[in-house]
Amino acid sequence: MLIINVKDNESIDKALKRFKKKFEKTGVLRQLRSRTAFQKPSVKRRTEIIKATYKERMYGNHTEQ
């Protein structure tokens, strides 16, 4: 359960923004979406490897020229 304390003179928009940020950090929605359809462990591993290679290619240190 998420608890957001609304401070005095704080707008509802700011409190809602803090709630959304906290909710996103918990990963509830991400987990819910991943559980909608079963994914085999081998497929899950394969997609993780593909994502990791993509990140490495995009953000990795490129010392080669």
Side-chain angles (χ1 to χ4, degrees), residues 2-4 7-9 11 19 21 26 30 34-35 37 39 42 44 47:
L2 291 174
I3 297 172
I4 304 294
K7 300 171 186 167
D8 294 337
N9 299 327
S11 67
F19 172 77
K21 203 176 273 189
T26 59
R30 193 179 320 119
S34 69
R35 289 183 180 206
Q39 192 176 24
S42 60
K44 195 180 294 186
T47 55

Side-chain angles (χ1 to χ4, degrees), residues 49-62:
I49 290 171
I50 290 170
K51 285 180 184 179
T53 54
Y54 174 78
K55 282 184 180 180
E56 182 66 31
R57 210 175 317 132
M58 292 299 288
Y59 307 115
N61 294 332
H62 297 291

